[in-house]
Amino acid sequence: MRARAWMLAGAVLAGASGARAQDPGSGGPIQYDVRFPNAVHHEARIAVTYRDLRAGPVRFQMARSSPGRYALHEFAKNVYSVSAVDGAGRPLAVTRADPYGWSVAGHDGTATVTYTLYGDRADGTYAQIDATHAHLNMPATFLWAVGYDERPIRVRFHAPDPKWKIATQLPDGREPNSFWAPGLQYLMDSPTELSDFRVREWTVGEGAGRQTIRLAVHHGGSDVDLDRFAAKARRVIDRQLAVFGGPPRFDHGRYTVIADYLPWVTGDGMEHRNSTIVTDARSLAEADFDQIQTLSHEFFHSWNVERIRPAELEPFDFTRANPTPSLWLAEGFTSYYGPLAVRRAGEQPVDAYLAALGSGLNAVLNAPARAYGGPREMSLRAPFVDAARSIDPVNPHIFVSYYSYGAVVALALDLSIRERFPGRSLDDFMRRLWRTYGETETPYTPDDLRRALAEATGDRAFADAFFARSIDGSALPDFAPLLAKAGLLLRPTRPGRAWLGASRVTGGAGGVTLAEPPMPGSPLHAAGVERDDVVASLGGTAIADAGGWSAALERLRPGARVELVFRQRGRERRATLVPVADPTVEVVRMETADVPVTAAQRAFRAAWLGGS
């Protein structure tokens, strides 16, 4: 969101004698009224009143994008039955000239627009309305009048069930179940949950900086499960506070985690300035409390991206995709610190953490997409991949997720700093970013990040070289010696196993169908094999089903030639393949591989990952 708008919002909230002093009240210029007369069929009926309108037609529209998302989502598709009246209740003409909005003419300075919203997807982006809850992401919920973004807003909800409570980062209004925002940007960043959720909360910070962390959890599990989860969350958040030296200053002294752990929701997480939405179709017990990983990621965002914020996201434009070349840091470094905080808090065994670390390394080190660009390039591809859908196929090998790519870059930088600058780490870089750009809410540019690394390490040449090599370019360091400093081995996952470049198949007549495109440079790719080709035989053995294909792959050995017969778009083809060694790697503790570990290696590991 726009830095100036956020800072103004914070000043308004902090300077009020209680949040209600700034509530525009029932006579304010913008009023939303939200009802759920047909919740069982996923509908809400919403009315918004604008007063003191300028003369002439007014354009009302729905957002096409949402804070924290980088692609278009076209929320207007779920809005219908739109009507309008003036201040005296007289009907107004409503016309629609494009898919995204409506024009209202003939008003008397006041216009009330009423519409039906359909929503049945509970995640961080959309809305879900049913008999159990109303889960509302605001850009997916509210239309607004163009040209009045800075006016204060009041929202009142009418819950269909008296047991339902309301969780939101919006401050309370003067009337029951009403809330307010200083303007459109703040409103749109404030997801809201209405349900019979349960609450756990605690405080962080000291003295005047003391603030509340609140968990509002809508789930079917027990209170014992919720207590256990809250204790885990508290320990993980404490480890994040240690990185930055304390919490951000939340606008009205509270950060709200809105959680839906229900079979009918879609797993997701989405950060907001003073809150987050986290969802999972599994219960806490079913997932063995794995939801702590998503919570850790999203809470870290309260520093990194909500306040340490890329300049390209200022101001956020709800009518288009909002790209930035810095998602490798905004999302990628958060993807590094989320699991790391869980590990440092003792909420994940070190071997489980290393298994996930190895998986992330595989996703990046063996990604052919690195030949097409570094982390900045992958960040700019976000509008095409961030839950964006297209009908035509795209080349699957030109993109590697900025989440995993950025996390691997963070790992490389953290270990390199620890090796080269004793007593320093990536934590020092993040604290430098916080003091310079987060606390002041000054949006950063890509070049600002390079300078901050130079300041955090005291070595400009190191910072310049790292950015040139691994941020502007796509090179990564040799991780084996870096990990060895911590007494860790980077080794082949399946030594001696052969690899062709693709393995997933589906059954079919006369062979099996390759379900994935071969990796560029792999034996299958070099032989001209493509996704949807039908493999009839491998090594002289007919392939009848997926089991036969797996057995044939098991018999292969690196370097030993093998014949392949396959059909490609109606034509039978033959090729000679030379399998190569399986490139997948894993990270393990040296002691589990009977390799001696020194005291210095154990100390390095403990300083990085926390105690055993």
Side-chain angles (χ1 to χ4, degrees):
M1 301 310 144
R2 181 165 42 201
R4 182 176 300 172
W6 280 139
M7 295 172 73
L8 176 60
V12 168
L13 289 160
S17 57
R20 296 181 181 179
Q22 298 296 325
D23 175 15
S26 58
I30 304 176
Q31 307 283 326
Y32 286 90
D33 191 78
V34 185
R35 299 174 185 270
F36 305 94
N38 196 22
V40 69
H41 293 299
H42 316 299
E43 288 184 338
R45 191 67 176 159
I46 301 172
V48 56
T49 298
Y50 276 74
R51 298 181 177 87
D52 302 323
L53 292 167
R54 294 183 289 272
V58 182
R59 177 179 171 81
F60 289 82
Q61 67 184 34
M62 287 294 290
R64 302 184 68 199
S65 59
S66 181
R69 294 259 77 112
Y70 308 104
L72 295 177
H73 297 280
E74 310 297 14
F75 298 118
K77 66 183 178 294
N78 285 323
V79 170
Y80 46 93
S81 299
V82 181
S83 62
V85 298
D86 66 10
R90 294 182 292 264
L92 297 174
V94 178
T95 58
R96 190 175 193 177
D98 61 69
Y100 315 112
W102 298 260
S103 180
V104 175
H107 61 80
D108 57 359
T110 296
T112 297
V113 175
T114 304
Y115 59 97
T116 297
L117 173 76
Y118 180 90
D120 192 24
R121 182 180 174 93
D123 61 5
T125 306
Y126 299 99
Q128 183 172 73
I129 303 155
D130 58 36
T132 68
H133 70 165
H135 171 105
L136 306 176
N137 183 39
M138 297 320 202
T141 303
F142 289 144
L143 56 73
W144 78 95
V146 175
Y148 301 89
D149 294 6
E150 305 303 324
R151 292 187 177 185
I153 298 167
R154 171 187 170 273
V155 184
R156 187 171 185 184
F157 298 98
H158 300 266
D161 187 328
K163 294 181 181 178
W164 285 13
K165 303 175 286 292
I166 303 173
T168 180
Q169 71 175 25
L170 293 169
D172 292 341
R174 299 176 187 175
E175 300 175 351
N177 299 326
S178 71
F179 303 85
W180 69 277
L184 182 72
Q185 292 270 339
Y186 199 92
L187 174 70
M188 288 298 196
D189 192 53
S190 303
T192 299
E193 165 83 11
L194 292 82
S195 65
D196 187 19
F197 56 78
R198 282 168 269 182
V199 175
R200 299 293 184 272
E201 60 183 36
W202 66 95
T203 59
V204 295
E206 301 294 336
R210 200 169 184 83
Q211 301 178 95
T212 298
I213 307 296
R214 181 190 192 206
L215 303 184
V217 182
H218 183 205
H219 74 138
S222 69
D223 284 343
V224 172
D225 289 342
L226 182 54
D227 289 337
R228 183 178 172 189
F229 184 65
K232 289 175 176 287
R234 185 168 186 171
R235 288 190 287 270
V236 167
I237 288 173
D238 282 348
R239 299 315 304 161
Q240 296 187 8
L241 297 177
V243 172
F244 293 100
R249 181 169 290 278
F250 304 121
D251 291 334
H252 39 94
R254 185 177 69 198
Y255 184 96
T256 301
V257 177
I258 302 171
D260 283 284
Y261 301 140
L262 302 161
W264 50 90
V265 310
T266 302
D268 195 13
M270 181 55 61
E271 73 278 2
H272 298 274
R273 182 170 172 84
N274 305 301
S275 66
T276 184
I277 282 277
V278 287
T279 55
D280 197 307
R282 302 167 299 172
S283 70
L284 291 167
E286 287 170 339
D288 194 22
F289 299 89
D290 186 57
Q291 291 93 340
I292 195 64
Q293 294 284 353
T294 305
L295 187 151
S296 183
H297 178 102
E298 301 306 330
F299 192 82
F300 196 84
H301 271 313
S302 63
W303 292 277
N304 189 30
V305 90
E306 287 302 325
R307 290 164 177 86
I308 305 171
R309 193 161 175 84
E312 296 81 12
L313 298 183
E314 310 293 346
F316 193 89
D317 186 342
F318 298 103
T319 68
R320 64 172 179 85
N322 289 253
T324 170
S326 299
L327 290 181
W328 60 269
L329 183 127
E331 293 291 357
F333 276 41
T334 301
S335 294
Y336 175 68
Y337 271 103
L340 186 58
V342 175
R343 168 59 214 144
R344 287 175 173 174
E347 294 300 328
Q348 183 180 40
V350 67
D351 290 335
Y353 175 82
L354 295 177
L357 194 70
S359 177
L361 280 168
N362 272 313
V364 177
L365 295 180
N366 293 318
R370 288 172 54 217
Y372 300 94
R376 286 183 177 175
E377 169 65 20
M378 299 308 155
S379 296
L380 289 173
R381 295 193 67 82
F384 308 134
V385 297
D386 182 29
R389 294 186 178 183
S390 56
I391 295 175
D392 61 316
V394 298
N395 187 334
H397 297 306
I398 63 171
F399 176 76
V400 59
S401 170
Y402 42 84
Y403 287 88
S404 54
Y405 203 162
V408 167
V409 168
L411 171 65
L413 186 54
D414 197 0
L415 295 179
S416 296
I417 292 173
R418 290 174 185 273
E419 176 191 46
R420 184 162 177 165
F421 307 99
R424 299 186 188 183
S425 70
L426 192 65
D427 295 358
D428 294 283
F429 175 57
M430 297 308 297
R431 281 191 288 269
R432 172 69 65 169
L433 291 179
W434 174 241
R435 289 193 298 269
T436 307
Y437 303 104
E439 288 184 327
T440 63
E441 302 212 32
T442 303
Y444 65 78
T445 67
D447 206 43
D448 290 331
L449 301 177
R450 178 184 55 79
R451 284 192 291 268
L453 180 58
E455 293 164 359
T457 60
D459 191 330
R460 179 176 176 179
F462 169 79
D464 290 348
F466 186 86
F467 267 72
R469 182 177 62 252
S470 298
I471 304 301
D472 300 325
S474 59
L476 289 169
D478 183 354
F479 279 96
L482 289 175
L483 290 164
K485 290 285 185 179
L488 304 176
L489 283 178
L490 181 66
R491 68 183 187 184
T493 304
R494 297 182 292 182
R497 293 283 297 275
W499 182 75
L500 295 180
S503 58
R504 289 191 297 110
V505 297
T506 58
V512 294
T513 300
L514 199 64
E516 59 183 331
M519 296 275 277
S522 69
L524 285 173
H525 188 271
V529 182
E530 251 301 336
R531 177 175 50 196
D532 296 331
D533 288 355
V534 178
V535 176
S537 70
L538 182 64
T541 301
I543 306 298
D545 52 32
W549 169 252
S550 296
L553 292 181
E554 288 287 339
R555 291 191 292 269
L556 300 180
R557 292 295 176 264
R561 294 175 177 271
V562 63
E563 297 301 314
L564 174 74
V565 179
F566 64 102
R567 291 193 303 278
Q568 186 177 79
R569 299 194 172 185
R571 176 187 172 191
E572 182 173 289
R573 301 184 61 181
R574 295 172 180 268
T576 299
L577 307 179
V578 181
V580 298
D582 191 323
T584 58
V585 294
E586 63 183 359
V587 180
V588 299
R589 290 178 293 135
M590 287 181 174
E591 55 266 41
T592 65
D594 296 324
V595 177
V597 181
T598 67
Q601 288 172 315
R602 292 184 185 276
F604 188 107
R605 186 193 301 170
W608 169 34
L609 300 181
S612 299

